[in-house]
Amino acid sequence: MSADPVPADLDLLYDDVEEGLRASVRSLLADRCPWSAVLERVETDAPTDVALWKELAAMGVAGLPVPERLGGAGATLRETAVAAEELGRAVAPVPFLGSAVLATTALLAAGGEAADGALARLASGEVSAALAVPLATAPDTPFPQTVRYAPGAPGSTSSPDSPADGRAASGTLTGEVGGVADASTAGILVVPAVGADGPGLYLVEADSSVRLPVTSLDLTRPLATVRFDGAAARPVATGPAAADALHTALVSGAAVLASEQLGVAEWALTTTVDYLKTRYQFGRPVGSFQAVKHRLADLWVAVSQARAVARNAASAAVHGGPEAALDAALAQAFVSDTAVLAAEEAVQLHGGIGFTWEHPTHLYLKRAKADALALGSADRHRMTIARLADLPPAQWEA
Amino acid sequence: MTDPAPLDAAAARARVAEFVAAHDPRTTDPAAFLGARFDAGLAWVHFPEGAGGLGAPRALQPTIDAEFARLGAAPVQREGLVIGLGMAAPTILAFGTPAQRYRYLRPLYTGEEVWCQLFSEPGAGSDLAALGTRAVRDGDSWILNGQKVWTSLAHRARWAILIARTDPDLPKHRGISYFICDMHSPGVEVRPLRQLTGEAEFNEVYLTDVRIADSQRLGEPGEGWRVAQTTLMNERVSIAGHAEPREGGVIALVTELWRTRPELRTPGLHDTLLRLWVDAEAARLTKERLRQQLAAGQPGPEGSAAKLSFARINQEVAGLELDLLGGEGLTYDDWSFRRPAGIPFAERVPGFHYLRTKGNSIEGGTSEILRTIIAERVLGLPAEPRTDKDTAWKDLPR
Ligand SMILES: Cc1cc2nc3c(=O)[nH]c(=O)nc-3n(C[C@H](O)[C@H](O)[C@H](O)COP(=O)(O)OP(=O)(O)OC[C@H]3O[C@@H](n4cnc5c(N)ncnc54)[C@H](O)[C@@H]3O)c2cc1C
């Protein structure tokens, strides 16, 4: 896969490499991840499809933006976003967002030997990772304070495991983080924590933490509370570099998530249109009634716009900087609402069947709504826009 | 014709540079400059040689326009030419005889001859095919009688594109023919029609025994509806040759106000502003994506959505502008019954913005009709059952 820069005047389109990636991911998912299989799996105690994740990793999907020297695909967040679109379209229960997007972009931003070691393991699919922040964390949230770092070798009470790169720990973590996505199946945790020297980003072997699964609104994306009781940890970034790496990861995550949401919205629109062409009431296809048609036309317009906005955010994320943060906020503010609307319209326009457990629409409704809350609500992102686009809120005069 | 090598972007740019070197835009009379540009085939490059083009791919036009702009020959706002350039020209190109192309296209392009569109009638708006203006054959010409309405620019136009009924016994879509009408002919009477802004941009046009030579017909008799489709397809948001910057559209009216007048800010309007900012950016990026698709030679169906989105955004921006201004929004510039003075939209008073944008969702096809078009042509939803399609026009209820 090539990481040739896309010309700026074509950066909202998909190039041939991206279309090729889309086709292979889509065909694997069609084969291995039909909605009926997803529905069956999410009620078991192994909702995440680890075997599917290994197959996706074999295609390069676990390490798209990871450099080739670390065993990654050497691509960019644009290709990552294309994979996200397809995974969203299939509501695939794999740790893509937590591992291949959030943890990966945090480690890439941090850099260094320890981060490289972990990235190589993630890209190969040997293990997956999670970024230990609540999934609802918005990019401009202050650095998390719930986990403390203490230097020095782990005490006898802590886990005997070595830290993620197999070397001696430099210290330990103590504290708790709720609502972490993709943590239960992760082998590695990337943990923001604060110590005497300020913020840091640490690597922890996941089984040296305690992970308590919670019942999540989105059945296809499991959440867990993660507790550290003196877990052995190794720093990958400290001080402002740690805060920057976390911010970069959350901005990249918000940008790529928009493409996942686009995939969800496209599924909802297409499925609904197809259904209404064949569902007859009053002697005609329901899709011939204007009240229904106009709603679908408006939805199609919104989904077309979501595509442009999501592509724009992915391209901006490749370049980084303040524009990337603004474009990611724009994408979240727009696409979150669009995906939720698409899923809600899908439920309504399917009638009774759309309200049943045995129909896939609820999987998409739950994913759409959970995605809208993930990495900051649309309103939260509008506040970010207010700050970054210089549209300040009203002030009360004293 | 003589040169089989297809023109590429570099060659197109070279031609422009050569042209500008030979016709200094600072010293050449604007109409003469445009005439020479037409003769050089750089007016609309996809038109054939001799008709203002070079028979080259349409995708090269944005490159050519951008190169003209770069070399200091940006097209000045060609107010009054929208109908000629946007609708008459592509129709004449598609259906005109060589003689018709030769006669009309050059002065149309240079702006020496203004065009108007005599389509809508009091009884035929959205349902344009129901029109009742009659054209009756008389030897080598046709005699027209009827009334047209909402005709923009009729008072300045030298020529009109016009559709009329030539066979009332056929179903409505089949008995229509398409003509070029000389607005200076005897029997053409233009009466100003005042709109809710106070001004008269448009007119009523009465046609009494107007004689049109058969050589002024476009397409075969009875084929007028098909010809009109070409005209109407082109009646949509024109796609600029270059990317529009962030806040490049009407949204700037309210963002500037927000930044420079902190005393106008309230929390509720802040939320409205941010939502509109997001929607305006989404529409801008969608239009930019459409431009990129055209440039890459893969036009998409998003064009039909652009007018729908911009109509809504323009109206909401103008409404917000008044809400922000409060008491200052209570005044208006001039209610007198007059022709528009050619002042750019942005420079008019906010009350005018509010009122004029109401027409955006009516002119050029209403938003309701556009939704139906998207639902049927893009999404492929079935048409509603109709009783008017196979009935002779003269027997339709009205
Ligand atoms: C500023 C301005 C400039 C114009 N310039 C020109 C011009 O230069 N030349 C020209 O020929 N025309 C021009 N028009 C006319 C314009 O194209 C028509 O006004 C428009 O197509 C609507 O037709 P109508 O006014 O007859 O409304 P109608 O067709 O009577 O519509 C009335 C309402 O019913 C709705 N409606 C109609 N049919 C349906 C349906 N099947 N389903 C759902 N809703 C429906 C419409 O959306 C509208 O809300 C202009 C109009 C304006 C406002």
Side-chain angles (χ1 to χ4, degrees):
Chain A
M1 202 158 296
S2 92
D4 287 345
V6 177
D9 59 344
L10 296 177
D11 63 355
L12 300 181
L13 308 181
Y14 302 97
D15 64 22
D16 293 343
V17 175
E18 289 163 341
E19 290 296 2
L21 172 68
R22 179 200 301 290
S24 7
V25 174
R26 192 183 281 195
S27 100
L28 176 68
L29 294 174
D31 193 31
R32 288 275 289 100
C33 189
W35 69 265
S36 48
V38 174
L39 184 60
E40 211 172 299
R41 167 176 294 282
V42 293
E43 284 202 281
T44 68
D45 50 13
T48 301
D49 193 340
V50 176
L52 175 61
W53 184 240
K54 299 240 185 252
E55 285 180 62
L56 284 161
M59 288 172 50
V61 171
L64 284 167
V66 176
E68 284 169 1
R69 68 179 170 83
L70 299 175
T76 71
L77 289 174
R78 285 177 53 90
E79 290 82 356
T80 311
V82 172
E85 243 178 76
E86 293 312 310
L87 293 165
R89 197 189 308 278
V91 282
V94 290
F96 182 77
L97 182 65
S99 185
V101 182
L102 291 170
T104 295
T105 53
L107 291 171
L108 284 170
E113 207 185 317
D116 282 358
L119 284 166
R121 291 172 68 198
L122 299 187
S124 72
E126 173 202 331
V127 289
S128 66
L131 179 65
V133 294
L135 181 59
T137 307
D140 57 4
T141 312
F143 197 85
Q145 306 284 320
T146 62
V147 181
R148 310 288 309 173
Y149 171 75
S156 53
T157 52
S158 75
S159 158
D161 292 315
S162 58
D165 70 340
R167 296 186 187 206
S170 72
T172 57
L173 297 184
T174 305
E176 191 176 284
V177 192
V180 181
D182 300 325
S184 296
T185 48
I188 298 174
L189 299 176
V190 180
V191 191
V194 283
D197 300 335
L201 206 55
Y202 299 90
L203 280 174
V204 172
E205 288 295 325
D207 52 16
S208 65
S209 70
V210 178
R211 287 165 289 169
L212 303 167
V214 295
T215 306
S216 56
L217 173 67
D218 176 4
L219 292 148
T220 60
R221 179 166 284 143
L223 302 178
T225 299
V226 182
R227 212 173 59 223
F228 305 99
D229 299 316
R234 171 147 205 230
V236 287
T238 50
D244 285 352
L246 179 62
H247 184 255
T248 299
L250 293 170
V251 167
S252 306
V256 174
L257 181 61
S259 286
E260 175 183 307
Q261 293 167 302
L262 170 64
V264 169
E266 285 184 345
W267 180 90
L269 173 63
T270 311
T271 306
T272 307
V273 166
D274 289 348
Y275 178 66
L276 293 173
K277 285 178 186 170
T278 55
R279 171 72 179 166
Y280 274 68
Q281 291 289 281
F282 302 96
R284 6 184 315 209
V286 172
S288 69
F289 287 96
Q290 191 182 78
V292 169
K293 270 180 169 160
H294 283 192
R295 280 165 72 165
L296 290 168
D298 282 337
L299 190 56
W300 177 80
V301 172
V303 172
S304 306
Q305 295 183 329
R307 191 175 304 119
V309 167
R311 278 276 82 189
N312 178 60
S315 290
V318 173
H319 301 111
E323 284 299 300
L326 179 53
D327 284 318
L330 165 65
Q332 280 301 305
F334 188 83
V335 187
S336 287
D337 286 351
T338 304
V340 169
L341 175 68
E344 290 178 351
E345 289 287 69
V347 170
Q348 175 64 21
L349 294 174
H350 275 82
I353 190 79
F355 193 67
T356 61
W357 189 264
E358 299 308 325
H359 192 274
T361 308
H362 68 99
L363 295 172
Y364 289 85
L365 178 67
K366 292 161 189 171
R367 174 65 75 88
K369 194 64 196 179
D371 276 358
L373 307 179
L375 304 177
S377 66
D379 194 54
R380 183 71 202 239
H381 286 284
R382 286 192 287 271
M383 289 299 126
T384 303
I385 291 168
R387 194 164 47 76
L388 296 177
D390 183 27
L391 298 167
Q395 299 281 335
W396 289 112
E397 293 298 329
Chain B
M1 273 161 251
T2 47
D3 179 10
L7 196 66
D8 63 12
R13 272 193 289 268
R15 284 216 191 196
V16 175
E18 202 180 304
F19 179 87
V20 171
H23 305 83
D24 187 341
R26 286 161 306 179
T27 54
T28 313
D29 164 69
F33 183 87
L34 289 170
R37 183 174 162 181
F38 182 95
D39 297 336
L42 297 169
W44 26 54
V45 72
H46 55 293
F47 280 30
E49 285 181 45
L54 296 167
R58 188 187 194 129
L60 283 177
Q61 193 63 39
T63 308
I64 288 174
D65 292 342
E67 190 64 6
F68 269 108
R70 199 179 67 80
L71 297 174
V76 275
Q77 261 307 322
R78 305 179 67 195
E79 187 259 331
L81 302 190
V82 279
I83 292 173
L85 291 171
M87 291 184 257
T91 313
I92 293 170
L93 177 73
F95 293 94
T97 60
Q100 287 169 332
R101 287 181 187 166
Y102 181 77
R103 166 61 189 87
Y104 298 113
L105 289 177
R106 195 177 187 278
L108 180 161
Y109 181 75
T110 61
E112 287 154 289
E113 290 180 349
V114 171
W115 286 68
C116 70
Q117 178 194 19
L118 288 172
F119 279 22
S120 303
E121 298 182 4
S126 300
D127 184 13
L128 187 59
L131 60 90
T133 291
R134 286 283 278 125
V136 177
R137 185 100 194 208
D138 181 37
D140 274 351
S141 53
W142 299 79
I143 311 288
L144 276 83
N145 281 285
Q147 186 199 338
K148 297 288 180 176
V149 75
W150 326 125
T151 319
S152 311
L153 295 167
H155 54 292
R156 292 171 51 192
R158 173 64 214 277
W159 301 103
I161 42 177
L162 176 153
I163 43 180
R165 185 150 310 277
T166 42
D167 191 343
D169 296 323
L170 289 173
K172 64 181 178 183
H173 294 97
R174 283 194 266 144
I176 295 173
S177 301
Y178 196 117
F179 301 95
I180 294 170
C181 174
D182 183 345
M183 293 297 286
H184 296 173
S185 303
V188 176
E189 189 200 342
V190 177
R191 295 187 199 159
L193 194 54
R194 193 179 186 187
Q195 56 210 44
L196 47 58
T197 57
E199 300 178 341
E201 279 175 71
F202 52 29
N203 304 273
E204 299 175 288
V205 178
Y206 291 83
L207 305 165
T208 312
D209 293 330
V210 175
R211 186 171 286 273
I212 299 183
D214 189 51
S215 59
Q216 303 277 86
R217 179 169 40 76
L218 282 179
E220 293 305 308
E223 288 282 291
W225 185 249
R226 200 164 67 83
V227 183
Q229 291 308 305
T230 300
T231 309
L232 298 173
M233 293 292 196
N234 284 285
E235 186 175 18
R236 59 161 84 123
V237 179
S238 65
I239 302 301
H242 52 86
E244 192 177 88
R246 185 163 264 155
E247 290 185 23
V250 287
I251 189 74
L253 290 176
V254 284
T255 52
E256 282 313 302
L257 203 51
W258 188 269
R259 290 184 187 117
T260 54
R261 302 277 308 271
E263 77 282 6
L264 301 178
R265 299 173 190 162
T266 69
L269 293 182
H270 190 227
D271 186 56
T272 306
L273 173 73
L274 293 172
R275 286 172 188 274
L276 258 179
W277 190 92
V278 168
D279 286 354
E281 279 297 291
R284 176 184 71 84
L285 288 166
T286 307
K287 193 168 154 188
E288 169 57 13
R289 184 158 197 275
L290 189 66
R291 194 187 66 79
Q292 294 186 3
Q293 285 175 312
L294 287 174
Q298 33 175 283
E302 282 89 346
S304 38
K307 180 178 179 286
L308 197 56
S309 313
F310 284 106
R312 184 177 65 76
I313 290 166
N314 292 351
Q315 291 171 352
E316 290 185 7
V317 165
L320 175 60
E321 190 184 22
L322 284 182
D323 288 342
L324 269 169
L325 286 167
E328 292 168 51
L330 287 172
T331 58
Y332 194 69
D333 54 356
D334 183 359
W335 288 117
S336 63
F337 184 8
R338 66 199 198 288
R339 292 296 188 184
I343 302 168
F345 178 80
E347 291 166 27
R348 299 294 302 268
V349 292
F352 179 84
H353 297 157
Y354 177 74
L355 296 172
R356 180 59 186 86
T357 53
K358 292 291 171 250
N360 295 163
S361 52
I362 303 170
E363 57 198 327
T366 70
S367 292
E368 288 74 24
I369 295 302
L370 291 180
R371 287 190 185 95
T372 300
I373 290 175
I374 290 169
E376 294 180 4
R377 304 214 189 131
V378 181
L379 298 177
L381 288 165
E384 301 212 57
R386 291 173 64 166
T387 52
D388 62 335
K389 267 189 151 163
D390 302 316
T391 311
W393 175 81
K394 62 178 172 33
D395 299 328
L396 287 172
R398 56 175 66 83

